[in-house]
Amino acid sequence: MSTSRVVRQRIWEKLAHVARPDTRFHLNFAEVIPDFEGADAAMDQIEALPAYRQSQLAFVTPDNSLVELRRRMIAAGKPFVVSTYNIHRGFRLMAPGSVPKGLELYAAWLDGIEHFGTPITLEDISKLGRIDFMATGASAVSIDGIRFGKGHGFFDLEWGMFTDIGLADDSTPVVAAVHDVQVVDEKLPASETDIVVDLIATPTRMIEVARHARRPRGIKWDLITADRIAATPPLKELARMRGIA
């Protein structure tokens, strides 16, 4: 069994005691990164970051653990891009003023994102300017910033697409929001596609990660199947841009 799988299984056992069940997937952590007890406090940590406060265009993953952050961003009129579930329907732009007052919480959930968010292509995102802040959930994250998701590699793909067309780069701040039980105390080796985060926000602390290597850039096309490209509209768009059949 791989190191990442062992870590996930160990963390998932602890996470079951603090996770908030998902309406579709309950506590199936292989399919959903859940909300958790104390998430409000973790979002307070993110909201206090200068990089967050100064951001003009952020990217936020659709994880349940970031519902409260998305709600706050919508209420504050902070624009952000968010992916649909498994990126099957590409990206959505949550623009200021797009959500009626009082519906911010609904709009922060997956169904609300689909309803209120505007479908947006990679080309259209690039016209808005660079992404200057990124927030993601995680199944687990090590103290040296190695993030493990559900095991499907969606955040790695999103990062690869954004860096390929210059929307983000190695200097773009990335924060992972997790419960304290999801923080792995030992240091872990990074794979060639792992995105090392800069900060880890938990209900009790903000952990700053000292990166010692550059993050990967672009898409590793040799690792992407034709089926994955066909099922992911932004990947299809990028493949056309790069002349990949």
Side-chain angles (χ1 to χ4, degrees):
M1 187 177 290
S2 68
T3 300
S4 60
R5 185 178 294 273
V6 170
V7 170
R8 284 193 190 92
Q9 292 294 338
R10 188 175 74 220
I11 296 299
W12 286 351
E13 292 175 6
K14 298 178 182 178
L15 184 58
H17 299 288
V18 297
R20 293 170 176 160
D22 180 73
T23 56
R24 295 178 179 87
F25 301 111
H26 189 50
L27 297 176
N28 181 356
F29 303 141
E31 296 298 335
V32 65
I33 292 178
D35 199 1
F36 52 81
E37 295 175 8
D40 285 7
M43 299 313 115
D44 289 344
Q45 303 264 24
I46 294 176
E47 205 170 30
L49 291 169
Y52 168 82
R53 295 198 303 268
Q54 296 164 10
S55 69
Q56 299 298 307
L57 180 65
F59 173 74
V60 182
T61 60
D63 301 316
N64 287 3
S65 55
L66 293 172
V67 166
E68 174 59 14
L69 180 65
R70 295 193 296 269
R71 185 198 68 78
R72 295 183 190 192
M73 295 180 76
I74 292 167
K78 291 182 73 68
F80 63 94
V81 173
V82 58
S83 49
T84 55
Y85 185 75
N86 288 358
I87 332 179
H88 283 320
R89 287 170 301 285
F91 298 113
R92 296 291 185 269
L93 172 66
M94 302 301 288
S98 61
V99 178
K101 189 173 177 60
L103 295 180
E104 295 88 355
L105 179 57
Y106 169 66
W109 286 95
L110 269 177
D111 289 344
I113 289 167
E114 296 269 8
H115 181 77
F116 291 107
T118 301
I120 189 167
T121 64
L122 288 173
E123 182 179 2
D124 287 338
I125 297 172
S126 66
K127 294 176 183 177
L128 298 177
R130 288 171 51 82
I131 292 170
D132 55 11
F133 184 82
M134 301 179 77
T136 178
S139 289
V141 61
S142 68
I143 55 171
D144 54 344
I146 304 299
R147 173 195 171 276
F148 296 110
K150 295 174 293 183
H152 306 308
F154 293 115
F155 186 66
D156 295 344
L157 274 181
E158 291 153 354
W159 172 266
M161 288 186 280
F162 294 148
T163 55
D164 187 286
I165 61 175
L167 288 170
D169 60 26
D170 207 50
S171 66
T172 306
V174 180
V175 59
V178 295
H179 193 277
D180 290 278
V181 302
Q182 294 172 277
V183 179
V184 181
D185 290 332
E186 64 261 33
K187 294 184 176 182
L188 299 173
S191 75
E192 63 176 316
T193 59
D194 279 333
I195 310 305
V196 178
V197 304
D198 300 290
L199 299 151
I200 304 168
T202 81
T204 64
R205 56 182 172 158
M206 178 66 80
I207 303 170
E208 295 188 18
V209 176
R211 280 195 281 128
H212 300 292
R214 297 184 66 84
R215 295 181 179 126
R217 179 186 179 279
I219 294 293
K220 309 295 184 186
W221 292 106
D222 57 324
L223 302 179
I224 307 296
T225 65
D227 287 344
R228 170 63 68 89
I229 294 173
T232 311
L235 267 181
K236 288 176 66 176
E237 178 188 4
L238 185 60
R240 288 195 300 270
M241 293 167 63
R242 297 293 174 255
I244 297 172

